[in-house]
Amino acid sequence: MKTNNKLKIFNDPIYGFITIPNSLIFDLIEHKYFQRLRRISQMGLSYLVYPGAHHTRFHHAIGCMHLMQKAVNVLRFKEVSISEEEERALYVAILLHDIGHGPFSHAMEHSIVSGISHEDISLRFMTKLNEEFNGSLTLAIQIFEGKYHRPFLCELISSQFDMDRADYLKRDSFYTGVAEGNINSERLITMLNVVDDKLVVEEKGIYSVEKFLVARRFMYWQVYLHKTGLVAEQLLTRVLKRAKELANDGVILNASESLSYFLNNEISDKNFDDHTLEIFARLDDTDIMAAMKEWQYHDDFILSNLCDMIINRDLLKIKLKNKPIKPATLDKHYKALMEKYDISENEAEYFVFIDKISNQAYQSKKQNIKILQKSGKVVDLAKASDQFSIKALSKPVTKYYICYPK
């Protein structure tokens, strides 16, 4: 009888060798739903700003699983009780936490699918996989949804310091070359502990946590909310929105079968059934990129120009302000564009628009980071820290921007 060796090893540029902990994880990684993540970029169109940022959701998910193994080992060493079933569920939940991401990560959520987030789709994938794997993902789904009776297990998956953030900050910093985002995730994990079933960080790790939050703030302004990346993502959302409008008007667009399905049907959380999930599982970055390469030569003025801007990286101009953009400024750019190309205001809105971005590195009122002091007392990070910057990081910062043709 032929047996398959399921204890494979990945060679990761960040952590070195990563081992697969059990056969269930191996089988999930092998599954077509998970393999699709090799074709979903982790940072959307950020490679237009940082040429090295071509890493995928697959990379990230494997890295998160590796850090979760480290966390389980650290907590068990500190005599925190974690059963084998809980351990397996943690690995499954963190491995699959991003499985519902669509092409270029976020663009579809705001354009051709309405009222359903990637977290919702992740949950649907996990539920479907649970059926295929005879209920072996049930506990993982409970933890993923934050419904398990031991909160610290849920916090390892989703909180202000979880294995997701611990990986993506370090990984995105590596692939973009933005050194300021590089955190010592292994040092942070070594400082973890559990008190009353809640995740805490030991006091001696407080400076590492402070650096983690500063790095996170820096990565958001410098990388995730970089103005050129913002324009590119806005354009991509508008490409899909325009394509859907044209499809609704009966215009036939060259696109893959799976992309055409989402263009020609109104998909929301109400009708996102198993059939839709199967078609979604066939969608990835290549569907969108191949479509845009075709659409840049389409007769429609809006669609062709939007696609051309992304394909050839000739993007809109963007200006960031600390105050809301004045309506008069917006009108001025509308009129200039409408006169130049003889288009309507509705059409001009695809090329001239305003929006805002907000960043709060530390949310002290939501799943706050708890510090375990030497006395045994547990306090919020903002109180334990002697750094004025932590209190500053707790305040949301909002910036406003306007985009218009050069």
Side-chain angles (χ1 to χ4, degrees):
M1 181 176 148
K2 187 180 177 184
T3 57
N4 201 356
N5 175 20
K6 297 190 175 185
L7 299 177
K8 302 280 186 187
I9 293 174
F10 289 100
N11 194 348
D12 183 76
I14 313 290
Y15 310 117
F17 293 119
I18 294 177
T19 55
I20 295 177
N22 56 59
S23 59
L24 174 61
I25 293 293
F26 176 88
D27 291 336
L28 287 169
I29 291 171
E30 289 272 280
H31 198 281
K32 64 180 181 180
Y33 291 167
F34 190 79
Q35 288 294 317
R36 182 184 74 97
L37 296 182
R38 291 182 185 271
R39 306 185 301 278
I40 304 287
S41 60
Q42 170 72 10
M43 293 179 62
L45 290 165
S46 289
Y47 64 83
L48 293 175
V49 184
Y50 298 100
H54 277 288
H55 55 305
T56 66
R57 292 274 162 192
F58 184 93
H59 284 120
H60 168 58
I62 298 292
C64 289
M65 181 199 68
H66 171 72
L67 293 183
M68 188 63 82
Q69 288 174 271
K70 297 265 183 194
V72 168
N73 289 338
V74 164
L75 293 176
R76 278 185 173 159
F77 180 76
K78 294 176 183 179
E79 299 183 344
V80 176
S81 170
I82 300 173
S83 70
E84 284 188 18
E85 189 187 6
E86 288 170 337
E87 177 188 11
R88 190 165 59 245
L90 278 173
Y91 298 157
V92 170
I94 198 67
L95 185 77
L96 303 180
H97 78 282
D98 271 349
I99 200 168
H101 269 290
F104 293 105
S105 290
H106 292 284
M108 276 191 72
E109 290 176 56
H110 309 296
S111 49
I112 58 176
V113 176
S114 61
I116 185 162
S117 67
H118 70 269
E119 290 93 351
D120 294 329
I121 300 172
S122 291
L123 189 57
R124 287 166 201 250
F125 272 125
M126 290 168 80
T127 305
K128 187 74 175 165
L129 287 166
N130 199 28
E131 293 170 15
E132 283 188 41
F133 286 86
N134 302 316
S136 53
L137 279 70
T138 303
L139 182 55
I141 291 170
Q142 277 187 326
I143 292 172
F144 177 77
E145 290 188 282
K147 293 178 179 177
Y148 193 57
H149 66 88
R150 304 187 73 191
F152 83 92
L153 296 175
C154 307
E155 288 170 343
L156 285 167
I157 303 293
S158 178
S159 64
Q160 289 203 72
F161 175 62
D162 52 33
M163 298 308 104
D164 175 30
R165 293 181 185 192
D167 179 80
Y168 77 62
L169 284 175
K170 193 171 181 67
R171 189 169 298 278
D172 296 349
S173 163
F174 176 86
Y175 281 100
T176 57
V178 177
E180 291 87 348
N182 188 13
I183 58 164
N184 190 342
S185 49
E186 299 201 13
R187 158 79 178 165
L188 280 160
I189 289 168
T190 306
M191 295 297 109
L192 291 178
N193 210 327
V194 172
V195 175
D196 297 332
D197 266 336
K198 299 279 179 68
L199 201 63
V200 297
V201 179
E202 291 165 0
E203 191 173 22
K204 59 189 173 183
I206 194 166
Y207 299 118
S208 297
V209 177
E210 288 169 353
K211 183 180 184 301
F212 163 78
L213 291 175
V214 170
R216 187 166 182 267
R217 179 182 185 275
F218 191 92
M219 286 293 284
Y220 265 85
W221 288 125
Q222 188 74 14
V223 179
Y224 308 129
L225 298 176
H226 188 286
K227 62 179 188 175
T228 306
L230 278 177
V231 174
E233 185 157 318
Q234 284 276 12
L235 286 173
L236 180 56
T237 302
R238 282 165 161 70
V239 163
L240 295 172
K241 185 182 166 195
R242 182 58 175 177
K244 191 160 181 70
E245 273 183 13
L246 294 172
N248 288 342
D249 290 340
V251 177
I252 295 174
L253 297 170
N254 284 336
S256 67
E257 193 177 326
S258 43
L259 179 55
S260 294
Y261 175 84
F262 286 94
L263 293 176
N264 294 315
N265 295 282
E266 291 300 324
I267 305 297
S268 69
D269 59 330
K270 306 263 191 313
N271 63 352
F272 202 106
D273 55 16
D274 283 356
H275 174 65
T276 303
L277 190 70
E278 281 302 318
I279 297 171
F280 185 87
R282 302 204 299 262
L283 263 183
D284 56 51
D285 291 5
T286 51
D287 293 82
I288 306 297
M289 193 53 75
M292 287 197 296
K293 284 174 71 178
E294 288 284 320
W295 296 345
Q296 67 180 321
Y297 304 110
H298 197 274
D299 292 340
D300 183 70
F301 175 84
I302 298 169
L303 186 65
S304 59
N305 276 284
L306 291 174
C307 291
D308 183 69
M309 286 176 179
I310 296 174
I311 295 289
N312 298 306
R313 201 194 177 281
D314 186 12
L315 307 172
L316 296 172
K317 190 172 180 62
I318 179 170
K319 283 191 176 176
L320 265 73
K321 305 278 185 184
N322 292 324
K323 295 179 180 178
I325 309 296
K326 293 175 181 174
T329 306
L330 192 62
D331 286 342
K332 182 184 77 174
H333 289 294
Y334 273 149
K335 285 173 183 169
L337 192 66
M338 287 159 66
E339 283 174 19
K340 184 174 181 180
Y341 293 105
D342 191 24
I343 56 175
S344 68
E345 187 171 331
N346 284 345
E347 291 172 313
E349 283 175 2
Y350 277 95
F351 303 97
V352 178
F353 48 87
I354 56 173
D355 209 336
K356 63 182 179 180
I357 46 176
S358 189
N359 179 26
Q360 187 176 359
Y362 179 55
Q363 297 174 317
S364 56
K365 293 177 183 175
K366 180 186 173 188
Q367 287 185 316
N368 55 336
I369 298 174
K370 302 171 193 72
I371 301 297
L372 174 62
Q373 295 181 322
K374 287 173 185 170
S375 63
K377 188 180 177 184
V378 176
V379 296
D380 179 71
L381 171 67
K383 289 183 180 176
S385 173
D386 56 6
Q387 285 257 20
F388 174 73
S389 61
I390 296 300
K391 293 177 180 64
L393 291 171
S394 302
K395 293 178 182 175
V397 177
T398 302
K399 293 184 181 180
Y400 304 85
Y401 66 90
I402 181 169
C403 296
Y404 56 89
K406 292 171 182 172

